[in-house]
Amino acid sequence: MQKIKNYINGELIEPIGKEYIDNYNPSIGKVYSFIPDSDERDVELATQAALKAFSTWSITPKEERSRILLKISELIEKNLERLAIAESIDNGKPVSLARMVDIPRAASNFHFYATAILHDASESHSMEDSAINYTLRTPVGVAGCISPWNLPLYLFTWKIAPAIASGNCVVAKPSEITPMTAYLLSELCIEAGLPKGVLNIVHGYGHKVGASITAHPKIPLISFTGGTKTGAEIARVAAPMFKKLSLELGGKNPNIIFADCDFEKMIKTTLNSSFANQGQICLCGSRIFIERSIYEKFKTEFVSRVKKMKVGNPADAESKLGAVVSKQHMEKVLSYVELAKQEGGTVLCGGVQVKLEKEFSEGYYIAPTVIEGLDYNCRTNQEEIFGPVVTLTPFDTEEEVLMYANSTQYGLASILWTENLTRAHCMAGNLHSGIVWINCWLLRDLRTPFGGVKGSGVGREGGFEALHFFTEPKNVCIKLK
Ligand code: NAD
C-alpha cells in the first residue's frame, strides 16, 4: 500500500519516528494508504529548512517567484484528472466536483497570487511639503499553514500561494483525514523547480504536528482554516507569543428566501448551496428561512427535488452526493438528526445512512436530509453540523428573519434571495457575516476579502488582504525641511 511522505527541504522523506496513520477511502470504508504520523522532530526539521531557504527566497525577485508559481499552476492543470480522482478517493466527494471546482481552483490560487505580486504596490503618504512617508512591506519569515479536509487542495493552496508569493517560506500541514493531494502537490513543486525549503509539508495529527507548528517560536505567523474549537486552541497558544493570526473557522449560514425571488433560479441554487460536497462546505446554507407565503410551495418543490438527488459512487457521473469524509463524521451528522427529532423536528426526507451495494457497502453515505418544525434557537439550528442536513423555518418580516439569521455564534456567509433592490442592500448591511451572496451562491472573485465575523474567524483571506497578511508593514518617514 502507498506510503505518503513528508516534503522537507525539497525532498520526499519518511517521518523521523517511522510511524504511520491509516488513510481511509470513505467511499468503500477501507484503508488504502498510509500517512506519516509525524511529530515535533519533523516540524523542527521543516522549520530549519524553511528558515534556511528564507534568506534567499525573501530576496528572490518577484518576477522569478511569479514564474515558479505559474509553473506550479500549469502543472496542477496538466495533472487535473489525476488530482481530481485522488481528491475524490481521499475525501469521498464526487469526482465531477473535484474536476470542476477543487482542482481548477487550486491552479487558480497559484496563478492569481503569481500575478498579484506583480501588481501590488505599497502606500505613500505625503505631509504636504514637510515630510513623506512610505510603507515597506517585507515577508514575515516562516509561515505556518494548517488546513482542513473538506476542500483539501483548494484550501491548502489558498494559504500557501500568497505566503510563498510574498516571499515567505512555509511549514504546512494538510488534514490527516485528506492528505493525498497535498502529497501530490509536493511532487509537482519539485517538478516546477521550487527551491528547496521554500515549502515544507509535514503530515500527521493536529494535536502533534499542528500543535508543534502553532507553538514553534520560529514560526511567527499562523494561517489556519478549520473548526472554531481548534481555532480557539490555536489562538490560546499563539496569542501570548504575539503571532500574526488568520483564523477561518466554522459557519452556520442562513439562506433567506423572500417570496419575490426568482423561484426557479433560487431552488436550483439552493439544492447546491445545501448539499454540494455532501454539505461539507463551510459556506453551505444550512438554515433555510422562507417567507411564509411561499413556505408550502418551497417545501413541496424542494423536498421532491432533494429526493431525486442520487447518492452514490463518487466516480459515477450521475452521483450528486458522494460519501461523507469519515465514519466518525457520518456518526456525528446522524446524531444531529436524532437531536433534531428530540427537539421536535420532523424529517421530511433523508435522515439515514444510505447502504450502497457491493464494494461500496461499507462506505459512509448519508441521504440528503431536510428537517422542519424546529425553533430558530434550538441546538440543531445553532450548532455546525457540516453535513447534508438543512432545516426549513418560515418567517413573516425582515426584522424577524434578520434576528434568526444573526442568532448564532457564527458569521461566515449569508445567502439572500429577493428581486427587491432596496431590501437586498438593507439586509446585506444588517447581516452579521463576512460574505453576503444575493441571488447566487459560491460566486467567487479571488480579489475580494474572504472570511467571517464572531465565531467564524479573525482576519480575511483573498486578494491583497492575504498578501498583506503575509507581510510586515514598516512606515518610513523622511523629513523634507
Ligand atoms: P479541524 O479544526 O478539526 O482541523 C483543521 C486542521 O487543524 C487539521 O489539519 C487538523 O489536523 C488541525 N488541528 C487539529 N487540532 C489542532 C491543534 N490543536 N493545533 C493545531 N492544528 C490542529 O477542522 P476539520 O474538521 O478538518 O474541518 C472542518 C471545519 O473547518 C468546519 O468547522 C468548517 O466550517 C471549517 N472550515 C472553515 C472554512 C472557512 O473558510 N472559514 C473553510 C473550510 C472549513
Side-chain angles (χ1 to χ4, degrees), residues 191-205:
E191 193 179 338
L194 185 69
K196 59 184 190 179
V198 171
L199 171 63
N200 303 275
I201 301 176
V202 185
H203 294 271
Y205 289 118

Side-chain angles (χ1 to χ4, degrees), residues 9-204:
N9 204 25
E11 287 179 14
L12 298 172
I13 58 172
E14 284 204 73
I16 293 170
K18 306 261 187 297
E19 296 291 327
Y20 286 84
I21 306 164
D22 290 342
N23 190 22
Y24 281 82
N25 172 345
S27 74
I28 53 171
K30 294 206 166 49
V31 176
Y32 83 103
S33 60
F34 298 112
I35 315 157
D37 180 5
S38 312
D39 59 33
E40 72 280 2
R41 293 171 295 172
D42 303 285
V43 171
E44 185 58 35
L45 211 60
T47 308
Q48 291 308 328
L51 279 168
K52 193 154 170 246
F54 182 68
S55 54
T56 311
W57 184 248
S58 58
I59 53 167
T60 298
K62 57 183 179 313
E63 290 76 10
E64 175 61 4
R65 297 200 303 262
S66 172
R67 190 190 64 75
I68 296 172
L69 264 73
L70 285 175
K71 183 77 192 157
I72 298 172
S73 172
E74 275 167 27
L75 286 172
I76 294 174
E77 274 177 3
K78 205 170 132 195
N79 286 276
L80 190 143
E81 193 57 21
R82 188 164 75 97
L83 289 164
I85 292 169
E87 200 73 294
S88 169
I89 292 172
D90 215 23
N91 172 280
K93 67 179 68 207
V95 71
S96 56
L97 184 71
R99 197 182 280 133
M100 271 178 58
V101 178
D102 294 69
I103 309 304
R105 175 58 191 277
S108 301
N109 289 341
F110 278 104
H111 190 275
F112 179 84
Y113 282 107
T115 51
I117 45 167
L118 303 179
H119 301 281
D120 196 10
S122 62
E123 308 87 331
S124 160
H125 300 89
S126 165
M127 300 167 77
E128 282 78 46
D129 56 355
S130 67
I132 185 158
N133 296 271
Y134 62 87
T135 309
L136 288 176
R137 286 189 182 274
T138 48
V140 176
V142 180
C145 297
I146 304 173
S147 59
W149 51 256
N150 65 323
L151 300 167
L153 192 63
Y154 173 135
L155 289 173
F156 195 56
T157 54
W158 183 227
K159 302 181 174 307
I160 290 166
I164 63 177
S166 49
N168 300 275
C169 293
V170 169
V171 177
K173 191 198 101 58
S175 169
E176 65 276 25
I177 301 168
T178 53
M180 188 55 83
T181 49
Y183 173 59
L184 298 176
L185 175 71
S186 49
E187 292 182 340
L188 299 182
C189 288
I190 294 171
E191 193 179 338
L194 185 69
K196 59 184 190 179
V198 171
L199 171 63
N200 303 275
I201 301 176
V202 185
H203 294 271

Side-chain angles (χ1 to χ4, degrees), residues 146-151 155 173-177 204-207 210-211 214 224-228 230-231 233-234 248-251 281-282 384 386 412 450 456 461:
I146 304 173
S147 59
W149 51 256
N150 65 323
L151 300 167
L155 289 173
K173 191 198 101 58
S175 169
E176 65 276 25
I177 301 168
Y205 289 118
H207 67 272
T214 307
F224 170 80
T225 300
T228 297
T230 317
E233 168 61 13
I234 288 175
E248 298 294 338
L249 310 177
I281 300 182
C282 54
E384 186 182 42
F386 213 54
L412 187 53
F450 177 89
S456 289
E461 295 189 321

Side-chain angles (χ1 to χ4, degrees), residues 225-294:
T225 300
T228 297
K229 240 172 132 178
T230 317
E233 168 61 13
I234 288 175
R236 189 189 65 76
V237 174
M241 300 174 83
F242 306 110
K243 297 194 180 204
K244 280 191 103 172
L245 272 185
S246 167
L247 302 173
E248 298 294 338
L249 310 177
K252 185 78 179 172
N253 309 305
N255 179 5
I256 302 169
I257 299 166
F258 283 95
D260 67 0
C261 70
D262 179 329
F263 193 84
E264 185 52 30
K265 219 196 269 175
M266 173 278 296
I267 208 140
K268 266 195 193 150
T269 308
T270 294
L271 288 169
N272 224 354
S273 66
S274 303
F275 301 116
N277 206 34
Q278 298 73 245
Q280 301 165 135
I281 300 182
C282 54
L283 305 163
C284 279
S286 52
R287 294 178 297 147
I288 308 180
F289 299 112
I290 307 110
E291 195 166 5
R292 197 176 299 276
S293 59
I294 59 160

Side-chain angles (χ1 to χ4, degrees), residues 300-457:
T300 310
E301 190 58 35
F302 186 64
V303 170
S304 119
R305 295 203 203 184
V306 172
K307 282 180 178 165
K308 290 188 195 126
M309 293 178 92
K310 186 176 170 209
V311 180
N313 171 7
D316 185 346
E318 308 282 285
S319 298
K320 293 277 181 249
L321 285 88
V324 299
V325 77
S326 66
K327 184 163 188 278
Q328 195 191 20
H329 191 59
M330 177 177 71
E331 285 164 358
K332 178 194 144 183
V333 172
L334 291 173
S335 78
Y336 269 101
V337 176
E338 289 313 307
L339 175 71
K341 288 184 204 159
Q342 286 163 22
E343 290 183 320
T346 305
V347 177
L348 300 172
C349 64
V352 289
Q353 182 181 358
V354 177
K355 283 277 183 192
L356 299 185
E357 292 185 338
K358 297 184 188 153
E359 72 261 42
F360 303 103
S361 62
E362 299 298 313
Y364 317 131
Y365 300 90
I366 300 179
T369 303
V370 182
I371 303 171
E372 72 166 353
L374 290 165
D375 280 344
Y376 78 93
N377 58 358
C378 68
R379 278 184 57 203
T380 309
N381 269 330
Q382 292 289 315
E383 297 175 14
E384 186 182 42
I385 301 173
F386 213 54
V389 178
V390 296
T391 62
L392 310 186
T393 309
F395 68 88
D396 293 299
T397 66
E398 285 178 21
E399 293 71 30
E400 180 190 12
V401 76
L402 260 178
M403 190 271 284
Y404 292 168
N406 291 338
S407 67
T408 72
Q409 65 150 321
Y410 298 106
L412 187 53
S414 305
I415 310 161
L416 189 59
W417 290 95
T418 178
E419 293 293 308
N420 179 329
L421 192 62
T422 309
R423 168 192 281 158
H425 284 297
C426 291
M427 292 284 293
N430 288 316
L431 282 161
H432 299 166
S433 61
I435 301 155
V436 180
W437 275 295
I438 300 174
N439 300 333
C440 60
W441 178 67
L442 213 59
L443 189 54
R444 294 280 293 121
D445 179 328
L446 300 190
R447 293 170 301 178
T448 59
F450 177 89
V453 299
K454 302 193 285 182
S456 289

